[in-house]
């Protein structure tokens, strides 16, 4: 499901149709829309209700974390210690210690 389902370029995920828990191709800063659509799809198609406070998104880019602020969902930035030279992209994936339950939008170095 998602804008890049068949290899297309990435695009804004606001209003994208979701038919799976895997959504591919959302541009940075729009992944919160895909998450909301997945939660809605689970409720509508599978009668599975997940409260927003129980939803977690993990991402290496700060722009994909701050966009979750105020949504009721939780987002945690990962790959905090292994960053690209300019700090924008995490390298080598998340550390096990970064996968945790924290409320809100949590950046590597908030401030």
């Amino acid at each position: 499901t998602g804008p890049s389902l068949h290899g297309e370029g990435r695009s804004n995920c606001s209003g994208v149709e979701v038919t799976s828990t895997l959504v591919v191709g959302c541009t940075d800063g729009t992944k919160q829309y895909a998450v909301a659509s997945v939660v809605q799809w689970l409720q509508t198609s599978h009668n599975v209700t997940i409260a927003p406070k129980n939803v977690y998104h993990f991402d290496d880019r700060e722009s994909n974390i701050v966009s979750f602020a105020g949504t009721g969902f939780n987002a945690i930035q990962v790959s905090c210690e292994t960053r690209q030279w300019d700090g924008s992209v995490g390298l080598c994936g998340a550390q096990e210690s970064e996968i945790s339950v924290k409320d809100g939008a949590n950046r590597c170095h908030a401030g």
Side-chain angles (χ1 to χ4, degrees), residues 14-77:
S14 177
V16 71
E17 181 183 358
V18 169
T19 59
S20 166
T21 56
L22 175 64
V23 180
V24 295
C26 298
T27 52
D28 292 335
T30 70
K31 294 180 180 183
Q32 71 278 12
Y33 301 121
V35 169
S37 294
V38 166
V39 170
Q40 182 61 44
W41 174 76
L42 286 168
Q43 171 64 46
T44 304
S45 298
H46 297 282
N47 200 31
V48 173
T49 302
I50 303 174
K53 69 177 184 172
N54 294 325
V55 174
Y56 291 84
H57 173 78
F58 298 88
D59 204 290
D60 66 324
R61 291 185 181 261
E62 184 174 348
S63 62
N64 292 325
I65 301 304
V66 297
S67 61
F68 276 80
T71 64
F73 300 125
N74 303 293
I76 299 171
Q77 190 175 10

Side-chain angles (χ1 to χ4, degrees), residues 80-100:
C80 295
E81 299 306 317
T82 56
R83 308 295 302 166
Q84 184 173 313
W85 67 270
D86 67 355
S88 64
V89 178
L91 304 173
C92 300
Q95 301 295 313
E96 186 176 346
S97 61
E98 294 174 315
I99 308 302
S100 62

